[in-house]
Amino acid sequence: MTQQLWSERRFGNSNNRPGDQRTPWQRDRARILHSAAFRRLQSKTQILGIGQNDFYRTRLTHSLEAAQIGTGLVSQLRSRVSAALVAILPDDSLMEALCLAHDIGHPPFGHGGETALNFKMLHAGGFEGNGQTLRIVAKLEPYTLAHGMDLSRRTLLGLLKYPVLQPDLQQQPLPGINPLNLTPWQPAKAIFAADADILDWILAPLSTEDRVLFQSTEQLEKSPYIKSRYKSLDASIMELADDIAYGVHDLEDAIVLGNISQAQWQQHTADDWAALPKQLQPVLQQIGSDLFSNQHHLRKDAIGSLVNMLISAVTLSEVLPQAAEPLVRYNATLAAAPLTILQCLKQLVYRCVILKPDIQQSRFRCQNMLMALFDAFSSDPARLLPANTQLRWQQAENEQKSRVICDYISGMTDDYAEHMYRRLYASGV
């Protein structure tokens, strides 16, 4: 009965396609793959801005790589856990669906755009990329009239990185004008209060006790807001695949484009590598040498070795041993040494690429573009919004009108946001 509950759809399980033999997870993957929101990832920033180079990864290619890594993680888990635990693992189609969809809620210009929209939405419930992902798949994407793609309940649970509701953001003091420094306005890691009905439906199979445990929160260090402590088994695998794709494949982009030098590699990894078990150190030294080789096949082999080292270290851990529901009791985790390696790689990309002044200057410019777009559409939505969005805005309750504008802007690609900004603000365009 529990399995049936997790495969249910909110709109219903009717399938009006005679002869369709697909599983619920195959149907979910197809709906994601053929959605407009997924296609837009081809023109959304991963790290470097769209159009700066034709080599690096976009959010689309990142999501495809995360899907491949995700199924690799599931395969590893199947080979090393008991039959009882194999039975609760996601199948490949479900894991691909989660990894393909995990970033579709990200706005233009990456996390910089996310922070800009969060600031503009503080009076109306905030903005956060994973919350927007849930909103797209469960409400906005026009596969059904009112339930978005109408994905299966387990798929929706797996997409929830933060299965709690946003706090009351209106309690925070706000500056009177758009701030130049948006650092203090990073988003709360939570689902929008406007989508509480969706969250309630997803978590309905959990007992009251399991739900209380699962929705525990903690305070964020760099924000006055909260972050949920736990995620489901499927979400933990998806997030680990996302982290590996980010830490390893974005590292490859940075090396190829000359954004990380061998000297920087050595500088930022030496201390972490020295603390690892001795048998790993010569392996990592060889990988470090091959990553910066002029022979491209050696670099590709080194990237593959890093991915394999991380995937092959995955295991299941009981993160909520008190929980009755296995999907929230277990998470995919890495042992200490592989986790140290992954965290070091992510920090390397962050310090040497994301924090580069030219990247941060571009982020500053793009954040201000999005805030200006929000101001423009909010000033006269009946004149400036496109017709279909105008209709949604007119039909929305007063407290949700800003959310409609935010939905529209967050759905833009980088290119389209630039184009719209020039249309509204640049002279001679």
Side-chain angles (χ1 to χ4, degrees), residues 309-374:
M309 182 185 298
L310 297 170
I311 289 178
S312 61
V314 69
T315 189
L316 284 189
S317 300
E318 281 190 292
V319 293
L320 272 177
Q322 314 97 305
E325 172 54 63
L327 291 183
V328 301
R329 186 191 312 157
Y330 294 96
N331 271 192
T333 58
L334 293 182
L339 182 59
T340 295
I341 293 170
L342 178 56
Q343 290 174 336
C344 181
L345 297 178
K346 290 170 62 179
Q347 280 298 306
L348 178 65
V349 174
Y350 180 73
R351 292 168 181 164
C352 297
V353 182
I354 295 176
L355 290 182
K356 285 182 65 176
D358 56 340
I359 298 294
Q360 289 301 312
Q361 289 162 8
S362 177
R363 174 175 288 192
F364 177 86
R365 169 180 166 272
C366 294
Q367 287 177 320
N368 281 282
M369 278 199 297
L370 286 195
M371 290 195 294
L373 286 177
F374 195 99

Side-chain angles (χ1 to χ4, degrees), residues 32-304:
I32 292 162
L33 194 60
H34 293 286
S35 68
F38 179 71
R39 289 195 300 277
R40 290 190 186 103
L41 295 177
Q42 67 186 305
S43 189
K44 288 197 175 187
T45 292
Q46 173 64 10
I47 291 181
L48 299 173
I50 301 298
Q52 293 178 9
N53 191 282
D54 62 359
F55 170 82
Y56 59 79
R57 289 158 170 90
T58 65
R59 288 216 178 259
L60 178 65
T61 54
H62 162 77
S63 298
L64 293 170
E65 288 172 336
Q68 184 271 323
I69 293 170
T71 56
L73 289 166
V74 173
S75 179
Q76 283 290 327
L77 289 170
R78 288 193 190 113
S79 72
R80 60 181 53 182
V81 301
S82 67
L85 291 179
V86 167
I88 69 168
L89 292 174
D91 77 2
D92 287 351
S93 294
L94 173 54
M95 184 46 52
E96 286 181 359
L98 297 178
C99 292
L100 292 173
H102 81 279
D103 265 354
I104 62 174
H106 267 286
F109 314 125
H111 289 289
E114 181 185 43
T115 305
L117 287 181
N118 181 58
F119 174 78
K120 300 307 294 187
M121 286 295 292
L122 286 173
H123 69 290
F127 179 85
E128 194 279 326
N130 188 244
Q132 191 68 16
T133 293
L134 177 65
R135 190 167 171 79
I136 289 170
V137 300
K139 188 172 287 187
L140 299 179
E141 188 73 22
Y143 193 96
T144 61
L145 181 62
H147 299 301
M149 299 182 198
D150 197 30
L151 303 179
S152 304
R153 195 191 313 258
R154 181 167 176 175
T155 302
L156 293 176
L157 179 70
L159 286 173
L160 291 179
K161 292 171 67 174
Y162 318 113
V164 296
L165 292 179
Q166 293 264 7
D168 185 358
L169 303 175
Q170 296 189 62
Q171 301 304 313
Q172 301 299 323
L174 302 180
I177 59 173
N178 291 341
L180 293 179
N181 180 9
L182 283 171
T183 301
W185 310 106
Q186 295 181 46
K189 302 298 186 181
I191 302 305
F192 308 138
D195 300 322
D197 59 324
I198 303 171
L199 183 61
D200 286 339
W201 183 83
I202 296 170
L203 301 183
L206 298 182
S207 68
T208 302
E209 295 79 8
D210 279 6
R211 180 163 177 174
V212 169
L213 288 168
F214 185 54
Q215 293 191 288
S216 302
T217 61
E218 61 186 359
Q219 198 72 26
L220 288 176
E221 292 181 7
K222 298 181 179 180
S223 167
Y225 309 133
I226 60 166
K227 178 181 180 181
S228 57
R229 291 179 181 273
Y230 301 109
K231 57 183 67 66
S232 70
L233 166 63
D234 301 343
S236 73
I237 303 172
M238 175 267 285
E239 188 166 50
L240 186 53
D242 182 23
D243 283 349
I244 293 172
Y246 165 71
V248 179
H249 290 305
D250 290 354
L251 169 69
E252 180 185 13
D253 279 4
I255 291 172
V256 171
L257 296 173
N259 290 320
I260 295 179
S261 67
Q262 191 163 14
Q264 288 174 310
W265 165 272
Q266 293 168 347
Q267 174 191 350
H268 291 289
T269 61
D271 290 343
D272 287 320
W273 286 185
L276 293 172
K278 291 191 181 300
Q279 66 267 27
L280 282 176
Q281 294 179 21
V283 177
L284 289 166
Q285 288 172 359
Q286 185 62 53
I287 286 174
S289 176
D290 291 345
L291 282 173
F292 295 91
S293 171
N294 291 325
Q295 300 184 58
H296 297 326
H297 70 280
L298 292 179
R299 184 176 61 247
K300 292 301 296 185
D301 186 62
I303 291 295

